């Protein structure tokens, strides 16, 4: 009988020893709180590393750009602009919500001729893709921006380069055309160049004075 009682007391003692204290419980819970987010974050990093180089598909313009400009629209515009006199080549692309038309013209064209050509290209785009439908945003829908570039050649160091750019932002009513190959403020450019090259500016001033 006494042996049974001793076994019972021993079991109670073991059970008491196995019962966790409050600090131990708090410690375990704290470890879990720390470890679980780390495991999740680690899984995200591992997944990202495994998918490196894999394109992520999605639509950042969901609900916008409707109707969409199709490859057939772009091909038609390209062909019609290529048929204009003075055009050597045309590139029509659609990067991230902007229709971009790049026109390489004959090197012999003048400023007025290239400006007239870029306006002709703009008329083609407007005819095939009406501005109010494709290039005008509303309060609830974002539509395309438009950029048309026309140039004889690309060489900023050559004084003969002529480069016009026509832009139509979807949030603006009117287009803007600019001769980007020439500075808007030539006097300011001269002042900056003189500040950077004082000896050259002094020689120029002396030559003008002697004349």
């Amino acid at each position: 009988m006494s042996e049974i009682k001793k076994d019972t007391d021993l079991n109670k003692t073991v059970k008491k020893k196995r019962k966790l204290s409050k600090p131990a419980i708090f410690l375990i819970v704290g470890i879990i709180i720390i470890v679980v987010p780390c495991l999740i974050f680690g899984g995200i990093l591992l997944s990202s590393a495994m998918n490196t180089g894999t394109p992520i598909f999605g639509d950042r313009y969901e609900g916008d750009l409707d109707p969409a400009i199709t490859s057939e629209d772009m091909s038609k515009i390209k062909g019609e602009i290529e048929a204009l006199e003075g055009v050597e080549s045309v590139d029509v692309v659609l990067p991230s919500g902007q229709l971009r038309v790049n026109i390489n013209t004959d090197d012999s064209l003048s400023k007025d001729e290239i400006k007239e050509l870029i306006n002709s290209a703009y008329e083609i785009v407007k005819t095939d893709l009406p501005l109010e439908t494709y290039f005008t945003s509303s309060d609830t829908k974002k539509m395309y921006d438009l950029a048309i570039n026309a140039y004889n050649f690309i060489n900023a160091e050559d004084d003969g380069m002529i480069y016009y750019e026509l832009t139509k932002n979807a949030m603006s009513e009117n287009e803007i055309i600019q001769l980007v190959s020439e500075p808007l403020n030539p006097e300011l450019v001269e002042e900056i160049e003189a500040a950077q090259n004082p000896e050259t500016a002094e020689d120029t001033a002396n030559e003008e004075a002697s004349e």
Side-chain angles (χ1 to χ4, degrees), residues 8-169:
T8 303
D9 293 339
L10 181 60
N11 290 335
K12 289 181 179 180
T13 303
V14 172
K15 288 180 180 179
K16 286 182 180 180
K17 288 183 179 180
R18 289 180 178 175
K19 185 176 181 181
L20 295 175
S21 62
K22 287 185 178 180
I25 294 174
F26 290 146
L27 178 61
I28 293 173
V29 172
I31 292 174
I32 293 173
I33 292 174
I34 294 173
V35 170
V36 171
C38 289
L39 291 175
I40 295 174
F41 183 66
I44 294 173
L45 290 178
L46 180 61
S47 176
S48 299
M50 293 177 65
N51 290 326
T52 299
T54 303
I56 300 175
F57 297 97
D59 188 1
R60 58 176 291 199
Y61 293 109
E62 185 175 356
D64 298 327
L65 305 183
D66 183 23
I69 296 175
T70 65
S71 57
E72 289 78 11
D73 295 329
M74 296 165 62
S75 296
K76 183 180 180 184
I77 290 172
K78 177 176 167 42
E80 291 174 348
I81 295 177
E82 284 177 335
L84 294 175
E85 185 176 356
V87 174
E88 288 187 353
S89 62
V90 179
D91 186 26
V92 181
V93 294
L94 193 63
S96 187
Q98 182 191 64
L99 181 67
R100 190 176 302 165
V101 181
N102 299 319
I103 307 170
N104 184 13
T105 72
D106 292 337
D107 294 352
S108 60
L109 294 187
S110 65
K111 292 179 185 178
D112 291 339
E113 288 172 329
I114 293 179
K115 186 175 182 179
E116 182 180 351
L117 193 151
I118 201 173
N119 282 318
S120 298
Y122 185 45
E123 291 299 322
I124 289 174
V125 173
K126 289 194 297 182
T127 300
D128 293 341
L129 302 172
L131 296 184
E132 62 275 9
T133 303
Y134 291 90
F135 301 103
T136 303
S137 296
S138 66
D139 294 336
T140 58
K141 183 169 61 175
K142 171 75 174 69
M143 292 306 295
Y144 296 95
D145 296 324
L146 172 65
I148 304 177
N149 304 290
Y151 48 87
N152 54 355
F153 54 82
I154 302 296
N155 184 357
E157 297 180 357
D158 193 324
D159 294 335
M161 184 182 76
I162 303 171
Y163 191 149
Y164 272 100
E165 180 182 47
L166 185 150
T167 57
K168 166 64 174 73
N169 190 287

